[in-house]
Amino acid sequence: MEMTIEEKKLSDIIEKIERGGMFYHIHGTKITEILKNIAFTINLPDSLSPETLAASMIEREEVMTTAIGDGISLPHPRNTLISDVKDERIAVCYL
């Protein structure tokens, strides 16, 4: 039986979270410190350094916050940092 579009999208998200990982107790008191700690904690593809990711997320946060409310934020770079779709990932981080 073939997956529906919704099932395929959910499957893609689950695969990206499995690649990115789940991390607890990310420390920091300022957003820049938290973003740096995230970049050095999560599973990154070999083609991306934590320094580059941290700088890019901080730059994005300075343009506009990625907070969506209720203690949830979706930090991400403003521009694409990877070129291979297989390297896409979602990291779930808890402070």
Side-chain angles (χ1 to χ4, degrees), residues 67-93:
I68 60 172
D70 293 326
I72 298 172
S73 183
L74 303 171
H76 59 282
R78 187 171 183 200
N79 299 305
T80 303
L81 299 178
I82 57 173
S83 57
D84 192 340
V85 175
K86 292 180 283 186
D87 285 337
E88 291 179 353
R89 57 199 65 213
I90 297 171
V92 179
C93 301

Side-chain angles (χ1 to χ4, degrees), residues 21-83:
M22 293 185 77
F23 303 91
Y24 299 89
H25 310 294
I26 302 293
H27 298 286
T29 56
K30 296 181 181 178
I31 188 65
T32 54
E33 182 182 9
I34 292 167
L35 292 174
K36 285 178 187 175
N37 288 336
I38 288 171
F40 279 87
T41 300
I42 65 175
N43 302 322
L44 295 176
D46 292 337
S47 62
L48 180 59
S49 74
E51 294 87 359
T52 299
L53 178 60
S56 190
M57 288 193 302
I58 291 166
E59 178 185 315
R60 167 64 177 90
E61 197 68 28
E62 289 171 349
V63 172
M64 180 187 292
T65 183
T66 58
I68 60 172
D70 293 326
I72 298 172
S73 183
L74 303 171
H76 59 282
R78 187 171 183 200
N79 299 305
T80 303
L81 299 178
I82 57 173
S83 57

